[in-house]
Amino acid sequence: MNIKTKAQDLEKNASTKPVEPLEKKPVKKAPRVTKASKPIKEIVDSSLNISKENIKKNINDLKEAATGVSKTTAKRVKKVSDNAKKTISKTSDDLAKAVKTNIANIKGFDKKFYIEYSGNQVSEDELIDKFKFKWLESHDLSEIKDLKVYYKVEEDTAYYIVNNKINLSIKII
């Protein structure tokens, strides 16, 4: 295709309406930059000062809140501690009573101790009675804090150790 044919095709297809001229629209101008009433440094500095004051106020508020929390916590800890002391005291009193009761029950049962050998018999009561008789010849029973009794069957003799110091022996049969 040549250039004339293209131009003719365009003319045929083109609309017959006249082209309207473009309207002039007013162009908006950029706003004019004027000198700021305050320099930027002053504006930034004042904003920073306000921020610093707010931070200081918040820190002081936090300190006051923390002090309040500390006092409240201290009161709660003291209350819990006092309750624990009461509970421990009551528990230890109850435990002491139970131990005393158990000891009293142990003391309350009957016991008899006998040694039998070669047709002879010696009881614990007999060994203690003979000891008391001999001891009272020169001492008081209130002096006795601890008494250990050893009975030697071959010799028919009881050996007594009083308060881990005094030795005494008694022929039993």
Side-chain angles (χ1 to χ4, degrees):
M1 235 191 197
N2 70 24
I3 296 176
K4 281 188 180 181
T5 6
K6 274 189 182 179
Q8 288 170 356
D9 284 342
L10 284 174
E11 281 179 14
K12 284 182 192 176
N13 291 335
S15 68
T16 55
K17 286 184 185 176
V19 177
E20 293 179 20
L22 291 174
E23 284 183 36
K24 280 191 172 180
K25 292 184 181 175
V27 177
K28 288 186 180 178
K29 293 183 179 180
R32 188 172 177 187
V33 177
T34 60
K35 200 172 191 181
S37 59
K38 288 183 182 177
I40 293 177
K41 183 174 191 267
E42 285 181 25
I43 294 170
V44 170
D45 284 347
S46 74
S47 295
L48 284 174
N49 287 337
I50 292 171
S51 294
K52 286 178 186 177
E53 289 173 16
N54 286 338
I55 290 170
K56 284 180 184 176
K57 183 180 181 261
N58 288 339
I59 288 172
N60 288 335
D61 290 347
L62 285 172
K63 284 180 183 176
E64 289 175 15
T67 302
V69 168
S70 296
K71 288 177 182 178
T72 303
T73 302
K75 287 178 185 177
R76 286 184 182 161
V77 167
K78 185 176 183 327
K79 185 178 179 181
V80 168
S81 175
D82 290 344
N83 289 340
K85 284 179 187 175
K86 289 176 187 176
T87 302
I88 290 169
S89 177
K90 185 179 182 312
T91 304
S92 63
D93 289 345
D94 292 346
L95 182 60
K97 286 177 186 176
V99 168
K100 285 179 184 177
T101 302
N102 287 338
I103 289 173
N105 289 340
I106 291 172
K107 288 180 180 177
F109 72 89
D110 280 341
K111 61 180 187 259
K112 296 290 180 191
F113 180 76
Y114 298 97
I115 299 173
E116 293 188 347
Y117 62 97
S118 303
N120 296 322
Q121 183 183 52
V122 178
S123 69
E124 176 186 13
D125 292 336
E126 185 180 347
L127 293 173
I128 299 298
D129 289 341
K130 290 193 184 234
F131 165 77
K132 286 180 184 177
F133 183 75
K134 183 79 170 175
W135 183 259
L136 288 172
E137 290 175 0
S138 58
H139 299 87
D140 287 331
L141 288 176
S142 62
E143 295 175 38
I144 302 171
K145 304 278 188 248
D146 181 48
L147 174 66
K148 294 179 183 149
V149 180
Y150 299 91
Y151 184 71
K152 196 165 188 181
V153 176
E154 298 87 22
E155 298 174 7
D156 288 325
T157 304
Y159 296 93
Y160 302 89
I161 300 174
V162 181
N163 300 334
N164 287 326
K165 295 179 183 176
I166 302 170
N167 293 319
L168 180 68
S169 63
I170 302 173
K171 186 90 170 157
I172 300 300
I173 298 180

